[in-house]
Amino acid sequence: MMNALESRLRADLDAFRRDGVYKRLNWLDSPQAPRVRMEGRGEVIILSSNNYLGFCDHPEVVQAGKDALDRYGAGTGSVRFICGTFTIHRELEQACAELVGTEASLSFVSCWNANEALPGTVLTEHDLVLSDQLNHASIIDGIRLAKAITKCQTGVYRHGDLDDLRAKLRAAADRKVKMVITDGIFSMEGAIAKLPELAQLCRDEGAVLVVDDSHATGVLGATGRGTAEHFGMVGEVDIITSTLGKALGGAAGGFVAGSGAVCDYLTQRARPQLFSNALPPTVAGSALASIRLLQRQPDRVATLRENARYFRTQLQEAGFRPLPGETPIIPVILGETAAAIRMSEMLLDEGVFVTGFGFPVVPQGEARVRCQISAAHTRADLDEALAAFRSVGRKLGLV
Ligand SMILES: Cc1ncc(COP(=O)(O)O)c(C=O)c1O
């Protein structure tokens, strides 16, 4: 007989299928690159990867992972403070700090892990943490965990609304530490946080500003140093979290960057550091090579920006109404979740892989297909993808 859990899960999965919101995995048989080999489909153009700089399959990045595997083996075999930490972790952490413009950084096995560790480790019951309404799920869960662990006060301010944030900070004048967390680039919109105004407000109200730059590292600023560089504010953000799983090699891993004290305290007390293994050396090696490559070839960031500008304007000329912006995240809003999934399936039939996103990842009624552009896309890749958009757009009566 089926147990209660099994029967509930199966019923829910059936409902997902019926409602057209069931996520089907697409199996790839080649590295992430502008064109990939997809099982059952052959070659398709990917427009839904965070491989912004094209480093996932870059020979130097791949070789650095192999070298680190040869030199350090598969991993630490336990957590860092118990059985030692590799010198490549120290080198990577110095490179991450230098890249984003902070005194220090500490690596985690993912940025999810970094975001989950930060508030719950450094805050107490005397403190407050406020989160932008559209922040990434890892920030939301990190704050939920912080509330459960520390009994700190938590709140959400309306997306990008500085008046709402100011009011919420002022209403919490009794709090010893006030922390504000925002995405640098909001991943479902492609919008950039208003960093100058946020930083000024945090200074005025005595709050600590944390920016999750996962989609901005390697992407924003003349040399890819992120949201702070975009606004000419490198060194002015208190704490930055970011991922190594997108522009910087695309494997996995994340970090918290900030003062030496913040990173040391996390080393002492963050539970994912104390009770979970370090980043595998292969991944540390590839990420380190990615940072070095970015520093040697900052023109990749300019190519990325130009590719994104081209794709966005061509989509507009084809009659689509992508959300306005200047980042390589280009969403086209369609309304219902099933419409977004249908469009993404039709695009795949035409050889273009673009993911459809619906509720609860984005608000109800604002389902979308989200295009992500890479510096590695050639003009031919982008033009072929645009032809597929025109064809599917016509079939669906959108253009
Ligand atoms: C803003 C933001 N933060 C954190 C993460 C999680 O990063 P990771 O894949 O390193 O856990 C993501 C990934 O989608 C993200 O978009």
Side-chain angles (χ1 to χ4, degrees):
M1 222 189 55
M2 215 190 295
N3 67 40
L5 176 66
E6 193 66 20
S7 51
R8 187 174 69 208
L9 298 184
R10 288 187 190 196
D12 284 355
L13 287 166
D14 285 343
F16 298 162
R17 288 190 194 92
R18 241 188 354 263
D19 298 344
V21 297
Y22 182 83
K23 293 177 194 63
R24 195 175 30 75
L25 297 181
N26 291 310
W27 301 95
L28 307 185
D29 194 23
S30 64
Q32 275 293 344
R35 289 170 191 257
V36 293
R37 214 167 37 248
M38 185 181 285
E39 214 171 72
R41 296 272 181 183
E43 186 186 88
V44 299
I45 296 175
I46 284 214
L47 278 191
S48 55
S49 167
N50 302 309
N51 183 21
Y52 294 119
L53 295 173
F55 285 170
C56 286
D57 68 337
H58 191 287
E60 277 184 39
V61 174
V62 175
Q63 189 57 47
K66 289 179 186 166
D67 292 346
L69 184 64
D70 287 342
R71 179 160 171 198
Y72 298 98
T76 45
S78 179
V79 300
R80 291 171 76 173
F81 91 96
I82 295 178
C83 67
T85 178
F86 293 126
T87 49
I88 198 163
H89 290 118
R90 184 174 55 208
E91 218 185 316
L92 173 66
E93 285 160 357
Q94 284 166 351
C96 290
E98 186 188 309
L99 177 68
V100 303
T102 57
E103 188 185 358
S105 90
L106 183 67
S107 61
F108 287 80
V109 292
S110 67
C111 186
W112 184 289
N113 226 222
N115 285 340
E116 209 169 66
L118 179 68
T121 306
V122 301
L123 298 180
T124 72
E125 77 267 30
H126 305 294
D127 303 335
L128 164 77
V129 53
L130 292 173
S131 173
D132 187 288
Q133 181 189 3
L134 293 189
N135 273 347
H136 188 258
S138 56
I139 299 173
I140 298 170
D141 281 15
I143 290 173
R144 287 176 178 154
L145 197 60
K147 186 176 189 169
I149 294 173
T150 72
K151 311 278 183 283
C152 66
Q153 195 178 311
T154 64
V156 173
Y157 61 94
R158 281 194 297 274
H159 174 51
D161 187 334
L162 291 150
D163 293 332
D164 190 34
L165 175 58
R166 184 179 300 105
K168 291 195 159 98
L169 285 170
R170 290 196 177 160
D174 63 319
R175 299 281 103 186
K176 287 219 166 64
V177 171
K178 287 172 267 182
M179 177 179 275
V180 174
I181 311 186
T182 180
D183 278 3
I185 292 181
F186 291 87
S187 57
M188 286 297 141
E189 283 64 40
I192 304 173
K194 300 171 194 160
L195 189 62
E197 294 85 349
L198 275 169
Q200 186 60 49
L201 178 56
C202 287
R203 271 196 299 274
D204 292 347
E205 301 300 326
V208 174
L209 178 61
V210 181
V211 176
D212 176 344
D213 243 4
S214 290
H215 283 275
T217 303
V219 170
L220 285 187
T223 61
R225 300 178 71 188
T227 308
E229 189 186 22
H230 177 78
F231 288 108
M233 295 174 63
V234 172
E236 292 183 46
V237 179
D238 299 309
I239 301 175
I240 294 169
T241 66
S242 191
T243 186
L244 306 171
K246 302 191 195 297
L248 298 181
F255 59 89
V256 174
S259 69
V262 164
C263 296
D264 196 13
Y265 196 87
L266 290 168
T267 305
Q268 305 305 315
R269 289 293 165 89
R271 291 165 73 82
Q273 288 287 330
L274 300 182
F275 299 105
S276 185
N277 278 15
L279 200 60
T282 44
V283 177
S286 289
L288 184 57
S290 297
I291 295 174
R292 300 285 181 242
L293 203 50
L294 171 61
Q295 287 166 334
R296 267 198 350 263
Q297 301 179 356
D299 50 311
R300 279 178 182 269
V301 184
T303 305
L304 171 62
R305 198 164 297 130
E306 174 50 26
N307 278 356
R309 190 204 58 75
Y310 176 76
F311 195 80
R312 193 185 293 274
T313 51
Q314 291 297 310
L315 263 188
Q316 282 163 339
E317 277 177 27
F320 290 95
R321 291 282 159 265
L323 290 184
E326 50 183 314
T327 70
I329 297 176
I330 307 177
V332 178
I333 306 290
L334 294 162
E336 291 314 309
T337 302
I341 290 182
R342 171 135 179 76
M343 179 156 182
S344 114
E345 277 169 1
M346 289 172 75
L347 283 165
L348 195 51
D349 288 342
E350 306 234 359
V352 179
F353 181 15
V354 184
T355 307
F357 290 92
F359 183 77
V361 180
V362 296
Q364 195 77 263
E366 293 181 27
R368 63 200 65 186
V369 291
R370 182 185 65 167
C371 309
Q372 286 172 286
I373 306 303
S374 168
H377 282 124
T378 62
R379 203 37 78 83
D381 296 330
L382 297 178
D383 285 341
E384 210 174 304
L386 285 160
F389 262 88
R390 281 189 210 96
S391 154
V392 169
R394 275 194 299 272
K395 283 182 197 155
L396 291 173
L398 297 171
V399 294

